[in-house]
Amino acid sequence: MKMDAQSFGIAAGLVVVGLFGLVIVWKVTKSLFTLAFWVAAALVIAVAAWWLLAKQGILPPLPGI
């Protein structure tokens, strides 16, 4: 009987640790996707600004475009 309670306790602990692990992975992944989105948005804005300034002759043309 004691072994069954100990096994149940270990299993319950592993489930709790697993759930905490999933929450941590979800938060990190979610923040990485958010970071990637904002970096991509900033890059698009920077390229558009460079293109407009190059069209006015203020900056040299974008390399490769």
Side-chain angles (χ1 to χ4, degrees), residues 2 4 9-11 15 20-21 27-29 32 35 37-38 40 45-46 49-50 57 59:
K2 185 175 183 182
D4 290 336
I10 291 172
V15 168
F20 278 133
K27 294 287 186 181
V28 169
T29 305
L32 286 177
L35 177 66
F37 170 78
W38 286 114
I45 291 170
W50 188 315
L59 288 177

Side-chain angles (χ1 to χ4, degrees), residues 20-46:
F20 278 133
L22 286 174
V23 168
I24 290 169
V25 167
W26 169 251
K27 294 287 186 181
V28 169
T29 305
K30 185 178 172 186
S31 65
L32 286 177
F33 281 134
T34 302
L35 177 66
F37 170 78
W38 286 114
V39 167
L43 185 63
V44 167
I45 291 170

Side-chain angles (χ1 to χ4, degrees), residues 3 6 34 36 45 56 65:
M3 189 60 106
Q6 186 178 8
T34 302
I45 291 170
Q56 296 296 320
I65 296 180

